[in-house]
Amino acid sequence: FLGNLTHSCRADEIARIFNECPDGPIPVDRVDLKRGFCFVFLMDAKSEEDKVRAENFVSQLNGIEVPAVSKQLRAEVAPGDG
């Protein structure tokens, strides 16, 4: 979940955040963009290490400014479905 998004934010801008992860891209399956928030569905992690890396990255996004996306991003990891 990402919140506090600008109303002009686009799904490709959200996906780019994950593709530009400093430790390597985090594959995005899809972005369900609503007005002011979105749900980012990541591809299944290939290992426990990849899962932890993605969760840590989302935690690091909380509170940062991302130009054209958010002045203070709200980021939360939701539990997966399996």
Side-chain angles (χ1 to χ4, degrees), residues 3-22:
N4 201 27
L5 305 177
T6 64
H7 294 299
S8 60
C9 178
R10 298 185 328 257
D12 64 312
E13 294 169 323
I14 298 294
R16 186 171 51 243
I17 293 169
F18 289 87
N19 287 330
E20 294 176 355
C21 174

Side-chain angles (χ1 to χ4, degrees), residues 1-5 9-15 17-18 27-43 58 61 69 73-80:
F1 169 86
L2 296 179
N4 201 27
L5 305 177
C9 178
R10 298 185 328 257
D12 64 312
E13 294 169 323
I14 298 294
I17 293 169
F18 289 87
V28 174
D29 183 31
R30 68 185 169 96
V31 176
D32 188 2
L33 187 60
K34 307 295 183 188
R35 189 164 176 86
F37 69 95
C38 72
F39 297 98
V40 180
F41 296 87
L42 303 177
M43 300 288 250
V58 171
L61 292 176
V69 174
L73 192 62
R74 181 173 165 221
E76 296 179 16
V77 176

